[in-house]
Amino acid sequence: MFQTAPIEAASQSELTSQMAARLHTALTTHLQQAYAPDQRKNLRLFSATETAELLGVTGQFLRKCHSEGSLPEPEVIKNGRRFYTGEEILQARHLLEASSRTPGKYLPGRREGDKLQVIQLMNFKGGSAKSTSAIHLCHYLALSGYRVLAIDLDPQGSLTGFCGIQTELEFEGASIYDALRYEDPVPLSEAIVETYFPGLHLAPARLVLSEFETETAVNAGRGVAFFEKLSQAIGSVESDYDVVVIDSPPALGFLTLTGLYAATSVIVPMTPSMLDLASTQQFVEMTSAYLGVIEDTGVKLDHDFFSFLITRDDPSDIPSQQIVSLMRALFQDRVVAATSLRSTAIGDASMLKMSIYEVSRSEMTRSTYDRAKTSMDAVGAEVATMVQQAWGR
């Protein structure tokens, strides 16, 4: 049980210390219950219908493949119904791709000559659903057959938590900070971990990542080009991935800027409110100033796309729809056509540090689940199309 007795303290520091201790106990207890017994997340099973949809085939075609032996039967069959693990779906993609007459039909990732796509999600206003958008994009792309690397540049580690690593419980091993630090950095490959989600790897964040801001300020006077550090780190693992998704901190600091330099594309999530519109205007203005400073060093930045993503969209809210219309009038195709809906399904999943793709339809009101998933599918599909266009397809 959590402590409920009043906190009595002789000083403010003692008071805040006790508050921190209670919060740590509560978080630890909750996470240990959520991830018991080994504190690791596991991806749910997918029905045959879901699997066929993910593979872009019919249920009849899937059954035919099993009967002919071109695809192995899944390990879990209940009452005559097939259920697939994420690994089995990924294996099916590889097998189907090998026999497909259309290259990239089942594995739509990079081909020879295609450059790695690095997508940075950034906004310096909290509450823009940036981390939620990042994890949904990672999961959508991984389920679609892309090799995805998630990089968490936020010292708070929200994306790291979504990927099943709980910074509140600590974890061993290197983090993205170890690859970016100025003294004895490690290769990025040593900071990358596999996640429970097939096709998705993670460069996790820890609170120590905030030290990068201080270290960069100290080293700036020594002529060190800080903005190249992440780009160089990513370059060392480039051949292993199709897409990199970067979740930036809600601030326009050195971490965000090194991500911006490494990015081939930028997505700015924003909720449709006047307050967020004003904040985004300031953010873009400051971004422009900082980009100018980088470009003054002789560096040429060229992003494949720089787009806004409307998040927590409520089509029934007239004032918010006026903001959406204004954004589309101002920036036209630079606003992602699909929007991420305000949904209790997404909110409930996020409370458990899950995406909508990790939740079974039977666990929620089906209409609510369907609306939420359709929304996130549309956003993911549009970003995937942008990636394909960047590859000239």
Side-chain angles (χ1 to χ4, degrees):
M1 294 292 292
F2 297 139
Q3 292 174 289
T4 56
I7 296 178
E8 297 181 1
S11 66
Q12 191 66 31
S13 61
E14 185 179 343
L15 173 66
T16 53
S17 176
Q18 290 186 41
M19 288 179 171
R22 286 196 179 186
L23 284 170
H24 182 269
T25 300
L27 282 170
T28 301
T29 302
H30 168 73
L31 293 170
Q32 287 175 338
Q33 291 174 344
Y35 301 131
D38 59 358
Q39 297 177 6
R40 290 184 61 85
K41 292 177 71 175
N42 293 297
L43 184 58
R44 68 177 177 88
L45 297 175
F46 293 83
S47 69
T49 300
E50 290 177 303
T51 300
E53 181 181 347
L54 286 169
L55 295 174
V57 300
T58 64
Q60 181 180 5
F61 176 83
L62 194 59
R63 290 190 296 272
K64 180 183 178 183
C65 288
H66 288 308
S67 64
E68 293 177 346
S70 56
L71 288 181
E73 289 281 1
E75 289 188 11
V76 179
I77 300 178
K78 300 177 182 178
N79 300 322
R81 299 177 60 193
R82 298 180 177 92
F83 291 87
Y84 300 77
T85 65
E87 289 287 358
E88 287 170 334
I89 294 174
L90 186 57
Q91 180 189 21
R93 283 191 177 279
H94 282 276
L95 292 172
L96 291 172
E97 179 71 19
S99 61
S100 175
R101 296 179 181 177
T102 306
K105 182 176 182 179
Y106 299 101
L107 291 172
R110 295 166 66 195
R111 304 174 197 167
E112 186 176 353
D114 292 339
K115 70 176 180 180
L116 177 70
Q117 291 299 298
V118 183
I119 304 173
Q120 172 159 352
L121 284 84
M122 53 186 281
N123 197 328
F124 69 7
K125 187 175 188 309
S128 63
K130 178 174 54 59
S131 296
T132 301
S133 300
I135 193 60
H136 278 87
L137 181 57
C138 287
H139 284 177
Y140 177 89
L141 292 173
L143 284 172
S144 299
Y146 293 87
R147 300 172 300 164
V148 184
L149 172 62
I151 296 181
D152 193 350
L153 283 188
D154 188 348
Q156 297 179 79
S158 297
L159 186 62
T160 299
F162 270 120
C163 288
I165 297 178
Q166 305 310 318
T167 54
E168 298 90 341
L169 300 179
E170 296 301 326
F171 64 92
E172 297 179 357
S175 69
I176 185 63
Y177 168 74
D178 296 291
L180 297 179
R181 67 191 182 202
Y182 289 84
E183 296 294 332
D184 299 320
V186 304
L188 181 57
S189 59
E190 294 184 16
I192 293 174
V193 296
E194 292 188 22
T195 71
Y196 62 96
F197 211 100
L200 175 62
H201 291 178
L202 169 72
R206 302 177 74 171
L207 192 57
V208 69
L209 180 57
S210 59
E211 292 295 320
F212 180 79
E213 300 284 345
T214 304
E215 292 172 5
T216 299
V218 171
N219 283 274
R222 304 174 184 173
V224 179
F226 77 91
F227 49 82
E228 297 179 349
K229 293 186 73 63
L230 182 60
S231 177
Q232 292 171 348
I234 291 174
S236 67
V237 297
E238 178 177 355
S239 61
D240 297 330
Y241 302 100
D242 303 313
V243 181
V244 175
V245 176
I246 302 173
D247 185 25
S248 303
L252 197 54
F254 295 125
L255 284 167
T256 299
L257 290 175
T258 192
L260 187 60
Y261 178 82
T264 59
S265 301
V266 176
I267 295 177
V268 181
M270 61 165 289
T271 58
S273 71
M274 190 56 69
L275 185 63
D276 283 75
L277 183 63
S279 176
T280 300
Q281 182 272 325
Q282 295 172 350
F283 173 74
V284 174
E285 185 175 350
M286 290 178 64
T287 300
S288 173
Y290 281 117
L291 287 175
V293 172
I294 294 176
E295 290 175 343
D296 286 344
T297 66
V299 174
K300 185 177 184 295
L301 294 176
D302 185 20
H303 293 122
D304 291 324
F305 57 87
F306 192 114
S307 304
F308 296 94
L309 170 64
I310 304 299
T311 62
R312 296 179 179 170
D313 183 26
D314 184 355
S316 65
D317 186 331
I318 295 178
S320 73
Q321 293 310 298
Q322 293 174 338
I323 300 295
V324 174
S325 297
L326 175 61
M327 287 295 293
R328 297 199 188 283
L330 290 173
F331 300 110
Q332 301 167 19
D333 60 353
R334 290 193 178 273
V335 181
V336 178
T339 64
S340 170
L341 294 180
R342 180 187 296 276
S343 170
T344 56
I346 295 174
D348 290 349
S350 296
M351 285 285 289
L352 298 173
K353 295 190 176 181
M354 300 169 69
S355 76
I356 195 68
Y357 299 108
E358 299 176 83
V359 181
S360 175
R361 188 169 181 254
S362 61
E363 297 174 10
M364 295 184 173
T365 303
R366 293 191 173 186
S367 58
T368 302
Y369 176 89
D370 289 345
R371 286 181 68 251
K373 183 174 179 299
T374 298
S375 164
M376 302 315 296
D377 281 349
V379 171
E382 191 164 346
V383 174
T385 297
M386 294 176 182
V387 168
Q388 292 291 322
Q389 289 174 345
W391 287 332
R393 299 176 200 158

